[in-house]
């Protein structure tokens, strides 16, 4: 970078930004490569969730009554609340990235802390949702309880298996996301980021938004779908 | 330096739109549209995801290569869904002369032979 901020002399004898790796020519190129790499990873993540969504779709086509019944068993208020919390966390994340872009370091830390707090709120609500399912014996397996025909009970267990599979995998991603953000927040607190180099904030933001997008699909697919059909 | 800096107003507007769309999708879930409930819910989710991808994830301002990589995710997702469903949904549509009608129809969970109704 021509910009002399924090420049130092390297073994090759020319000055560059300390964050610039030797195999890149400019910070712009490095930033582009890092972002692209994150996107490639996110594509694999889409396919990862895609397999489960495919199973969801097929069983929904086969057992629409069980899907309708199953979505009624889920708490739409908690699911809706979590949707709002997660979308709000995406907003705070985007504002955190923006603060890093503009060099507002303390603001970056504040937005990142808020993002983590919202992420943890989501996980706490999710815990109580799971606990309710546990108390109602809605965990698929030998102890599954459903007042109704055996066939419906069997099909509902498939619905709940996919519910726990999809939301569990999503919750795992949230835990990983919060862990990544705690490291990024610490780096931001140590003033490691500048408007010239904030790539870690940007690509953890991409990951966080991806996890938000997964929930944007899971909420209607699990909580809302076919609900109206039960109401007549 | 790399990266387009969007005005904060853009982020708040997108957040507002996402909230409105969430309210719409919840409201629609309580109205019986028959077969349309699923496509409507999915359509709203796709719209919300698009807003997040374009503005929060900066794809609108990214290089063409990034846009292409992002697009491949959805292309391959459609291949996965399309080819799998074209197999499962078309099973049992046609039966060859002398073939078995039962071949390849839906998998049933539980006992192979349906139990007689237990209730009187």
């Amino acid at each position: 970078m021509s910009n002399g901020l924090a420049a130092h002399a390297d073994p090759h004898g020319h000055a560059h930004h300390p964050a610039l790796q030797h195999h890149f020519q400019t910070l712009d190129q490095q930033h582009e490569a890092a972002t692209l790499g994150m996107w490639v990873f996110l594509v694999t993540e889409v396919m990862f969730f895609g397999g489960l969504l495919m199973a969801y779709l097929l069983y929904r086509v086969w057992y629409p009554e069980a899907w309708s019944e199953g979505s009624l068993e889920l708490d739409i208020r908690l699911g809706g609340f979590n949707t709002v919390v997660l979308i709000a966390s995406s907003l705070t994340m985007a504002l955190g990235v923006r603060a890093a872009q503009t060099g507002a370091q303390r603001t970056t830390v504040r937005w990142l802390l808020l993002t983590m707090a919202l992420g943890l709120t989501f996980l706490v609500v999710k815990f109580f949702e799971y606990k309710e399912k546990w108390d109602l014996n809605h965990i698929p397996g030998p102890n599954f309880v459903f007042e109704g025909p055996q066939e419906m009970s069997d099909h509902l267990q498939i619905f709940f298996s996919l519910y726990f599979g999809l939301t569990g995998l999503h919750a795992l991603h949230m835990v990983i996301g919060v862990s990544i953000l705690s490291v990024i927040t610490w780096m931001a607190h140590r003033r490691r980021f500048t408007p010239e180099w904030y790539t870690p904030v940007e690509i953890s933001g991409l990951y966080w938004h991806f996890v938000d997008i997964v929930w944007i699909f899971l909420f209607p697919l699990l909580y809302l779908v076919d609900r109206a059909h039960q109401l007549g | 330096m790399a990266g387009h800096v969007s005005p904060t107003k853009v982020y708040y507007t997108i957040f507002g739109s996402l909230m409105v769309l969430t309210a719409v999708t919840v409201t629609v879930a309580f109205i019986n549209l028959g077969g349309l409930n699923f496509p409507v819910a999915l359509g709203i989710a796709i719209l919300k995801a698009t807003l997040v991808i374009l503005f929060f994830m900066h794809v609108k301002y990214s290089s063409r290569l990034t846009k292409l990589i992002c697009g491949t995710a959805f292309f391959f997702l459609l291949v996965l869904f399309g080819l799998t469903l074209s197999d499962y949904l078309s099973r049992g549509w046609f039966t060859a002369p002398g073939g078995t009608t039962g071949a390849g129809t839906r998998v049933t969970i539980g006992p192979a032979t349906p139990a007689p109704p237990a209730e009187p």
Side-chain angles (χ1 to χ4, degrees):
Chain A
M1 294 294 285
S2 53
N3 182 331
L5 185 90
H8 71 112
D10 74 345
H12 311 294
H14 46 254
H16 68 69
H17 193 280
L20 179 64
Q21 303 287 322
H22 68 88
H23 47 285
F24 290 109
Q25 296 197 330
T26 63
L27 273 177
D28 277 350
Q29 187 193 38
Q30 182 175 320
H31 181 87
E32 173 72 17
T35 315
L36 194 64
M38 193 61 192
W39 270 104
V40 172
F41 170 68
L42 292 183
V43 172
T44 70
E45 287 271 78
V46 168
M47 297 315 289
F48 184 42
F49 278 96
L52 271 172
L53 287 174
M54 182 65 243
Y56 166 93
L57 198 59
L58 195 57
Y59 280 114
R60 182 186 172 272
V61 170
W62 282 343
Y63 311 128
E65 304 83 14
W67 256 231
S68 188
E69 186 68 40
S71 75
L72 267 190
E73 295 290 333
L74 300 178
D75 193 328
I76 196 168
R77 285 162 304 166
L78 291 181
F81 174 77
N82 259 354
T83 306
V84 173
V85 166
L86 215 50
I87 292 177
S89 82
S90 252
L91 171 71
T92 56
M93 185 73 230
L95 291 170
V97 172
R98 190 185 180 280
Q101 282 178 323
T102 54
Q105 306 198 31
R106 295 184 68 88
T107 319
T108 309
V109 173
R110 231 174 285 145
W111 284 124
L112 290 177
L113 285 175
L114 193 54
T115 307
M116 283 162 67
L118 289 166
L120 290 172
T121 309
F122 178 94
L123 286 170
V124 168
V125 172
K126 201 76 225 153
F127 169 79
F128 284 108
E129 278 191 85
Y130 279 177
K131 189 177 177 301
E132 190 220 0
K133 293 282 160 288
W134 175 269
D135 293 341
L136 290 172
N137 282 317
H138 277 166
I139 313 286
N143 296 324
F144 187 80
V145 174
F146 174 70
E147 305 292 330
Q150 182 61 39
E151 197 186 46
M152 179 57 115
S153 172
D154 289 341
H155 297 170
L156 260 182
Q157 289 194 54
I158 302 178
F159 175 83
F160 277 114
S161 303
L162 285 165
Y163 166 76
F164 284 110
L166 282 162
T167 59
L169 205 57
H170 177 264
L172 177 67
H173 277 77
M174 292 288 298
V175 172
I176 295 171
V178 171
S179 315
I180 292 173
L181 283 192
S182 61
V183 176
I184 299 297
T185 309
W186 179 248
M187 288 171 78
H189 176 69
R190 299 289 301 270
R191 302 185 175 274
R192 293 279 301 278
F193 304 123
T194 60
E196 287 77 33
W197 187 72
Y198 59 91
T199 308
V201 190
E202 167 93 20
I203 63 174
S204 0
L206 289 179
Y207 180 81
W208 192 265
H209 294 309
F210 165 78
V211 177
D212 181 31
I213 288 173
V214 172
W215 185 257
I216 284 176
F217 282 97
L218 292 190
F219 175 57
L221 289 181
L222 295 169
Y223 290 76
L224 302 180
V225 78
D226 298 340
R227 176 174 280 264
H229 300 175
Q230 288 282 318
L231 305 172
Chain B
M1 175 52 201
H4 168 95
V5 181
S6 308
T8 46
K9 201 180 151 199
V10 170
Y11 291 129
Y12 288 113
T13 309
I14 296 301
F15 174 71
S17 315
L18 290 171
M19 285 293 110
V20 169
L21 286 169
T22 304
V24 170
T25 195
V26 170
T27 312
V28 169
F30 288 97
I31 304 167
N32 194 342
L33 300 175
L36 277 179
N37 275 107
F38 188 68
V40 168
L42 206 57
I44 293 175
I46 290 172
L47 187 58
K48 285 164 77 180
T50 310
L51 287 178
V52 173
I53 291 170
L54 285 182
F55 295 97
F56 283 176
M57 298 173 92
H58 303 149
V59 166
K60 189 172 189 287
Y61 314 104
S62 294
S63 66
R64 278 200 201 169
L65 187 57
T66 307
K67 288 191 174 85
L68 180 72
I69 296 288
C70 174
T72 58
F74 299 96
F75 173 74
F76 281 107
L77 208 54
L78 285 179
V79 170
L80 172 68
F81 293 164
L83 290 185
T84 312
L85 284 179
S86 68
D87 170 8
Y88 279 102
L89 296 187
S90 64
R91 289 187 187 188
W93 279 8
F94 306 107
T95 310
T100 49
T101 43
T105 44
R106 84 162 56 155
V107 180
T108 47
I109 308 291
T113 50
E119 284 145 304

